[in-house]
Amino acid sequence: MKKYSLFQFCLGFILILGCVTWGTAFQNREAFRIGEITVSPGEMKSGYLDVPEKGGIGSRIPFTVINGAKQGKTLALVAGIHAFEYPPILSLYKIKKMIDPAELSGTLILVHIANLHAFQKRIIYYNPYDWKNLNRVFPGDPEGSISERIAHVLKKEVIERSDYLIDLHCGDGNEALIPYLYWMVTGNEKLDQTTKKMALAFGIKHIIIDKSRTKDLSQSKYLGNTSVLLSTPAITTESGYLGRTDQKAVLRNVKGIMNVMKLFQMIEGNPQFTEEPVWIDHYEVVRSDHDGLFFPLTEMGYYAAKGEKIGYVTDYFGEVVQEFYAPFSGMILYIVNTPPANKGEPVYEIGRVKEK
Ligand SMILES: [Zn+2]
């Protein structure tokens, strides 16, 4: 039998040890199962989350999972809760092309278009089969109407599977909107610090400090709020407006997402944080009391003084039926910029800038 030198013996031992360690590390990284799909470490797969039919109406939610080869956190990115909001939807297709599963630490869940019916029919706010706003029916109900069932599937398959979540929005098809985001403050110090970091890493300058959301999970209404109430840190972002697909809004999202991924060490690089955020400590969504036509008198981003006239609603004969005045001095975060006005629907949102 050939004799081995001590050097050769040691080298062999180190090699075997290395293989065992590498193999164990890889085995520890589990496949990610979602819907009907299993995604192995280092793989990217797409499919649909099924929203079962009831009363002849079901839906499906297109998604992609990128399961990184390396250990790490799970981040969910949700677009198309409001399906006439295009920049969030388009930015996720860019992210899908940019991320290499072999280089990724952790898992990305991309929900491409949460409200597919509304996307196909080009409808703002609502799902055309129950005329409910998906972002007002969380946490959802498996026995409820179609929007409630979509919300339930997103809660079970996305929120509850994720460590962090970003709900991506913009001005809907009728809304002129400046980029801003909601930092939902819960009172849970640790969670709030995490979401604050996410908000600053996303890179949008105007940040609403939102303490207005309910703490009652059964009434959580919003995807972002449901997520934080289930202890999954989340932010809700707004970038883009009026049904446009402008690249500036798309790239703002892409940059923000990549930076949040750096924050959670899912990709390499140091995260950048917004250096001079504009904090908004109070906001109000102002609604029309009438059906008719809305006429804005200001623009998105305009700084209105308290009592300043913001716009008015007329009836279908052109007679003024309601006038709107700023309830406090603040910035117009969004303002409806197409004529239809509906009783109970927003006409603008104003935010008060926090004093330093
Ligand atoms: Zn929205």
Side-chain angles (χ1 to χ4, degrees):
M1 189 181 142
K2 189 186 170 193
K3 287 201 172 172
Y4 293 98
S5 71
L6 184 63
F7 173 74
Q8 284 171 318
F9 180 78
C10 287
L11 192 68
F13 182 73
I14 288 166
L15 268 174
I16 290 164
L17 192 69
C19 285
V20 169
T21 311
W22 182 82
T24 310
F26 208 79
Q27 275 166 11
N28 280 346
R29 184 92 188 107
E30 287 178 1
F32 193 89
R33 290 179 187 85
I34 179 167
E36 302 287 304
I37 284 177
T38 301
V39 193
S40 299
E43 257 190 350
M44 176 186 310
K45 277 190 185 171
S46 297
Y48 290 99
L49 288 171
D50 189 41
V51 183
E53 248 185 51
K54 201 182 157 208
I57 304 296
S59 189
R60 51 190 194 154
I61 304 169
F63 72 88
T64 296
V65 166
I66 310 173
N67 198 9
K70 300 179 244 177
Q71 291 285 8
K73 300 292 186 183
T74 298
L75 172 66
L77 306 170
V78 182
I81 287 278
H82 294 137
F84 212 124
E85 300 177 359
Y86 298 133
I89 294 170
L90 299 179
S91 56
L92 294 199
Y93 295 118
K94 283 202 185 290
I95 291 287
K96 186 184 170 188
K97 287 210 172 107
M98 288 166 76
I99 301 299
D100 177 0
E103 296 297 320
L104 178 68
S105 299
T107 306
L108 261 190
I109 305 174
L110 312 177
V111 175
H112 293 297
I113 306 172
N115 201 342
L116 203 51
H117 294 141
F119 182 78
Q120 289 166 326
K121 305 276 187 200
R122 303 184 181 90
I123 291 172
I124 64 162
Y125 299 157
Y126 309 113
N127 182 292
Y129 293 103
D130 62 5
W131 294 105
K132 288 183 180 171
N133 182 334
L134 178 55
N135 214 24
R136 300 293 182 276
V137 300
F138 279 87
D141 178 355
E143 300 303 321
S145 69
I146 185 64
S147 295
E148 291 161 345
R149 298 200 314 277
I150 294 171
H152 175 76
V153 168
L154 290 171
K155 172 177 168 276
K156 295 305 277 181
E157 295 281 359
V158 179
I159 299 176
E160 291 180 359
R161 309 289 308 281
S162 304
D163 296 308
Y164 309 102
L165 183 145
I166 305 177
D167 184 19
L168 298 138
H169 289 253
C170 69
D172 219 316
N174 56 330
E175 295 167 345
L177 171 150
I178 63 157
Y180 65 95
L181 58 81
Y182 293 91
W183 169 39
M184 289 157 287
V185 178
T186 62
N188 173 336
E189 184 65 22
K190 193 171 165 232
L191 190 138
D192 292 345
Q193 284 311 310
T194 303
T195 48
K196 186 179 184 182
K197 275 190 202 153
M198 290 170 75
L200 291 168
F202 200 85
I204 287 180
K205 192 172 173 153
H206 291 87
I207 302 176
I208 296 181
I209 305 166
D210 191 0
K211 296 178 180 172
S212 69
R213 313 267 162 127
T214 180
K215 306 276 190 289
D216 176 0
L217 180 62
S218 70
Q219 302 295 322
S220 58
K221 283 190 184 176
Y222 306 89
L223 169 62
N225 192 40
T226 311
S227 188
V228 293
L229 292 179
L230 289 166
S231 303
T232 299
I235 55 171
T236 301
T237 64
E238 303 275 357
S239 169
Y241 60 99
L242 284 174
R244 293 176 55 180
T245 58
D246 62 299
Q247 286 302 298
K248 210 171 159 188
V250 173
L251 295 178
R252 191 183 290 116
N253 283 328
V254 169
K255 198 174 158 203
I257 291 164
M258 298 296 274
N259 214 34
V260 170
M261 290 178 70
K262 286 177 188 169
L263 172 69
F264 296 131
Q265 295 165 334
M266 298 176 75
I267 53 173
E268 289 197 3
N270 293 321
Q272 307 279 312
F273 297 99
T274 304
E275 281 179 8
E276 291 185 358
V278 177
W279 299 102
I280 293 165
D281 61 1
H282 177 63
Y283 71 96
E284 204 170 307
V285 175
V286 179
R287 294 165 196 280
S288 176
D289 295 329
H290 303 271
D291 293 346
L293 288 81
F294 178 65
F295 293 85
L297 295 173
T298 55
E299 294 182 350
M300 61 178 182
Y302 176 76
Y303 199 90
K306 184 179 176 181
E308 195 172 338
K309 198 169 174 182
I310 303 298
Y312 58 92
V313 167
T314 71
D315 61 19
Y316 298 122
F317 307 103
E319 301 299 325
V320 176
V321 290
Q322 190 176 3
E323 293 177 328
F324 300 92
Y325 299 91
F328 50 82
S329 296
M331 187 172 284
I332 304 297
L333 298 171
Y334 73 76
I335 185 157
V336 164
N337 236 242
T338 54
N342 287 315
K343 187 179 176 183
E345 281 186 356
V347 287
Y348 72 95
E349 177 173 333
I350 184 167
R352 184 179 67 198
V353 175
K354 188 182 177 203
E355 287 180 21
K356 284 183 181 166

